[in-house]
Amino acid sequence: MFLAMLLLNFCTLSSHPNILFWGWFIFQALYFCVPFREQLLEYYGNGKNTGDVEENLLTCLAELFMQISTQKKKTGVIAPKRFVQRVKKENELFRGYMHQDAHEFLNFLLNDLVDILEKEAAKGPAEGLSPPQKIVNGPHGGHINGVKKEPLVTWVHKNFQGILTNETRCLRCETVTARDETFLDLSLDIEQNSSITSCLKNFSSTETLNAEDKFFCDKCCSLQEAQKRMKIKKPPHILVIHLKRFKYMEQLGRYKKLSYRVVFPLELKLTNTMEDADCEYSLFAVVVHVGSGPNHGHYVSLVKSHNHWLFFDDENVEMIEESAIQTAFGSAQEYASNTDHGYILFYESLANNSS
């Protein structure tokens, strides 16, 4: 009975072959991202009040969230056909029945949502909407007609966007060149029997540029040896970490799945990665890839709600112990029976929670 009450308004989604089953575990993670869900439902309410909103991916997603949140049944299954049809219409990559990458789907979805918010704001911002900014990873800010364009923010950015600083120090004149880049998620290289902390440390480690990789120093006006480092300048409220489990193997001529054991904690500190100070996060969702290869397999998700962890596998939902999350760390040996490997991690800032 307790589980049924816990799942109230958290219906699972149909896994019919026509329903892009590999994408719904991203959807579950986003639904359990409370600030994102609340703002999306607010957007839905504002759209209903104006009564003049053209159907798009954002409205379809908002309607789907509303269907789940207002569902009177304690448990159930929703077939999101309208949303699926919209996804297929917007991106031909998702029109077939091939196994697709959940990380690609997440990036497509978030980028498309912001593109829609940008167009709506250009027509005239509706109540509850913030002015937009392009949500692509890359250089931060820009210039228009010689005037610096101030970065504007949508509620999607407020949740997921952070800023990286790419620093390059010329070893001849010691001049430091810094460039800011926005990001929606951090894609981390992984190693066997490692941890998220060590992966983040490697991400921000100092790299020496020499030989054919020398850096062109504007002050020296020539190619020079340099040191390069990437740091987080502004952490996002929702930190999405993508583990690079699929690596192209030259000798095989194809991608191979890395089943490496990578430990990820429930509470994470961005030690040695932040520019100024540490930032603490709490894990609330994990998208797990099940299978031995990149072109086949299955996705499941682990999500936290009301201080309890739930396991989503298509129509099946069950409560699990917190310790069960460790089964998604990966395999300590290359050939192991366990093929459940954590792929995308969702962390929420504890500072954001407290505020």
Side-chain angles (χ1 to χ4, degrees):
M1 180 63 180
F2 177 73
L3 178 59
M5 292 300 294
L6 184 66
L7 293 179
L8 179 63
N9 296 337
F10 294 115
C11 300
T12 187
L13 298 166
S14 169
S15 64
H16 186 276
N18 293 327
I19 307 296
L20 300 178
F21 63 93
W22 40 262
W24 297 128
F25 303 102
I26 291 294
F27 181 96
Q28 300 289 7
L30 291 177
Y31 186 85
F32 282 86
C33 178
V34 177
F36 177 80
R37 183 177 75 230
E38 290 178 346
Q39 288 160 341
L40 185 58
L41 293 176
E42 181 182 354
Y43 171 87
Y44 178 85
N46 292 336
K48 282 295 184 182
N49 292 334
T50 60
D52 185 27
V53 178
E54 182 181 351
E55 179 182 299
N56 51 47
L57 197 61
L58 180 56
T59 60
C60 290
L61 182 65
E63 183 178 19
L64 193 53
F65 270 44
M66 180 60 67
Q67 287 178 6
I68 297 175
S69 64
T70 58
Q71 179 60 240
K72 294 181 179 180
K73 295 181 180 180
K74 291 183 173 63
T75 59
V77 176
I78 292 178
K81 295 180 180 179
R82 191 173 179 181
F83 179 76
V84 171
Q85 290 171 354
R86 197 73 208 183
V87 170
K88 290 182 177 181
K89 183 177 181 180
E90 297 295 333
N91 194 322
E92 63 180 9
L93 180 65
F94 306 121
R95 290 174 191 168
Y97 304 107
M98 293 291 292
H99 181 80
Q100 299 294 342
D101 183 70
H103 181 238
E104 282 189 21
F105 180 75
L106 174 63
N107 279 323
F108 156 72
L109 182 59
L110 293 181
N111 276 281
D112 204 79
L113 296 187
V114 171
D115 284 342
I116 294 168
L117 290 175
E118 284 184 328
K119 293 175 183 177
E120 290 183 354
K123 296 177 182 178
E127 183 181 355
L129 293 180
S130 300
Q133 174 194 348
K134 194 69 174 178
I135 192 169
V136 293
N137 295 347
H140 183 62
H143 292 76
I144 295 181
N145 296 328
V147 179
K148 185 176 180 180
K149 181 182 178 182
E150 292 298 326
L152 302 175
V153 179
T154 70
W155 47 266
V156 176
H157 288 96
K158 289 179 179 178
N159 283 303
F160 296 100
Q161 183 173 272
I163 299 176
L164 291 171
T165 294
N166 191 339
E167 288 186 354
T168 306
R169 180 188 300 273
C170 175
L171 294 182
R172 180 185 179 188
C173 68
E174 296 295 323
T175 298
V176 176
T177 302
R179 183 186 62 172
D180 289 349
E181 300 179 7
T182 58
F183 69 94
L184 299 178
D185 62 81
L186 292 180
S187 291
L188 302 181
D189 291 310
I190 61 175
E191 297 177 348
Q192 180 60 288
N193 294 321
S194 60
S195 66
I196 291 297
T197 302
S198 63
C199 291
L200 285 168
K201 185 177 180 180
N202 290 336
F203 177 81
S204 293
S205 62
T206 300
E207 176 188 0
T208 300
L209 305 177
N210 53 27
E212 296 180 354
D213 297 324
K214 284 184 178 180
F215 169 74
F216 185 88
C217 176
D218 290 334
K219 187 173 182 179
C220 297
C221 296
S222 60
L223 293 171
Q224 298 293 334
E225 291 189 352
Q227 288 184 332
K228 181 181 178 181
R229 185 187 180 192
M230 188 81 77
K231 296 185 294 184
I232 296 178
K233 181 177 182 179
K234 180 183 177 183
H237 288 316
I238 304 299
L239 175 63
V240 181
I241 296 178
H242 161 236
L243 302 181
K244 295 182 179 179
R245 288 203 174 273
F246 304 113
K247 182 179 181 180
Y248 186 77
M249 310 298 288
E250 292 284 351
Q251 62 272 30
L252 299 177
R254 59 179 173 83
Y255 282 90
K256 176 184 178 182
K257 181 180 178 181
L258 305 179
S259 60
Y260 298 160
R261 177 179 170 83
V262 181
V263 176
F264 47 88
L266 298 176
E267 306 295 330
L268 175 67
K269 282 188 178 182
L270 296 183
T271 308
N272 299 323
T273 309
M274 283 287 296
E275 188 175 57
D276 297 319
D278 291 341
C279 186
E280 294 187 61
Y281 286 88
S282 178
L283 183 71
F284 71 88
V286 182
V287 173
V288 179
H289 182 271
V290 182
S292 58
N295 298 318
H296 53 83
H298 181 53
Y299 287 105
V300 300
S301 61
L302 313 173
V303 294
K304 188 177 183 181
S305 175
H306 302 91
N307 293 319
H308 293 276
W309 282 91
L310 303 174
F311 171 75
F312 284 82
D313 183 2
D314 292 338
E315 294 95 339
N316 302 315
V317 185
E318 61 183 78
M319 188 183 299
I320 60 172
E321 295 293 332
E322 191 175 83
S323 58
I325 296 174
Q326 298 178 21
T327 60
F329 287 169
S331 309
Q333 299 177 347
E334 183 174 358
Y335 301 101
S337 57
N338 175 32
T339 62
D340 299 14
H341 308 117
Y343 184 46
I344 306 176
L345 315 175
F346 292 79
Y347 284 91
E348 184 172 6
S349 170
L350 293 178
N352 191 39
N353 280 330
S354 62
S355 61

